[in-house]
Amino acid sequence: IVWRCSNRLTNGTKNCKKSETLEEGALNRAVMEAINRITRGDGDFVGAFRQNVIRVIGSYGGEQEPDEYDEKIKEKEEEMVALIAENARVGSYTDEFDERYRRIAEEITTLKEEQIEARRKTKLADSYEQRLKDMDSFLEKQTCQIPEFDNDLVRRLIASIKVVSAEKLIIQFQSGIVMEQEIRYE
């Protein structure tokens, strides 16, 4: 079984002059070698994966301290008490009072939600270095070698394959990684 350019088959060699004919077995082996190279870690996959994890985990490091939220919440609560006291002194209920009270209450609620999120992120950041070490250790021990061609897997992982020559492919994975792969004939 061989693979040929469909444009060449449909329209002839005038539209596709340098089209290669590839033996299916060699093409399948080359594609599986590329997949195994990436999952083995000597390609870009593990490095890109590690950088993505570092970016996500690292985003927890520069958050505001929850103590700042306590101070801001206290200021807003004091502002609300002052507003209520002023309204009691004047002795009349107005739409302006209602609007200011609602705005301050919403600000306090937002600050409390942000404080909860900041505390959650701080807990995650505390274990940042250990999690990176654990992840690196795990990735070093993993082998994801796939022994034989799997058409379904290839279709899920690979976006496109460009034939450069009878000996070389350019393979673009769905993840965006692009790599050159040699075709070996047995």
Side-chain angles (χ1 to χ4, degrees):
I1 299 174
V2 295
W3 284 72
R4 294 190 176 138
C5 174
S6 62
N7 189 21
R8 178 180 177 188
L9 294 174
T10 305
N11 301 313
T13 56
K14 70 177 184 169
N15 292 326
C16 193
K17 293 180 172 83
K18 295 188 177 189
S19 172
E20 301 290 344
T21 298
L22 302 175
E23 175 192 318
E24 183 176 71
L27 180 62
N28 290 352
R29 279 190 303 277
V31 169
M32 293 310 294
E33 283 176 19
I35 290 171
N36 285 328
R37 241 175 66 205
I38 286 212
T39 58
R40 187 172 56 235
D42 58 351
D44 295 333
F45 175 78
V46 173
F49 177 75
R50 184 179 188 282
Q51 290 305 312
N52 283 336
V53 171
I54 288 170
R55 181 178 46 80
V56 170
I57 293 173
S59 70
Y60 297 123
E63 300 296 324
Q64 283 187 337
E65 292 296 316
D67 291 18
E68 293 178 29
Y69 285 102
D70 288 334
E71 189 176 310
K72 289 177 183 178
I73 291 168
K74 184 177 179 186
E75 287 174 10
K76 287 296 174 184
E77 287 172 343
E78 288 172 357
E79 184 180 340
M80 183 179 281
V81 168
L83 177 65
I84 293 169
E86 178 187 332
N87 189 59
R89 188 177 47 81
V90 172
S92 68
Y93 176 81
T94 64
D95 289 338
E96 180 186 345
F97 166 81
D98 190 40
E99 177 59 29
R100 286 177 61 196
Y101 183 89
R102 186 191 56 74
R103 183 180 44 79
I104 294 169
E106 287 175 357
E107 289 173 359
I108 291 171
T109 300
T110 300
L111 285 169
K112 286 181 178 180
E113 289 170 355
E114 289 173 359
Q115 182 182 41
I116 289 168
E117 181 65 12
R119 286 181 176 165
R120 183 189 68 79
K121 288 181 178 182
T122 298
K123 285 181 184 177
L124 289 174
D126 290 344
S127 63
Y128 171 73
E129 288 299 322
Q130 186 58 46
R131 288 185 295 153
L132 281 178
K133 288 177 188 174
D134 291 347
M135 181 199 63
D136 275 343
S137 175
F138 173 78
L139 289 175
E140 285 175 9
K141 295 174 188 172
Q142 296 308 305
T143 58
C144 301
Q145 299 300 300
I146 303 158
E148 58 190 47
F149 185 82
D150 182 334
N151 191 49
D152 187 47
L153 176 69
V154 169
R155 291 186 183 277
R156 289 174 189 254
L157 291 178
I158 296 181
S160 67
I161 299 173
K162 180 180 177 184
V163 178
V164 176
S165 68
E167 294 82 30
K168 185 165 71 170
L169 303 172
I170 302 289
I171 300 175
Q172 179 173 358
F173 288 80
Q174 297 286 358
S175 65
I177 294 172
V178 177
M179 66 185 303
E180 289 186 8
Q181 178 62 45
E182 179 183 327
I183 303 173
R184 293 181 292 115
Y185 296 90
E186 293 180 353

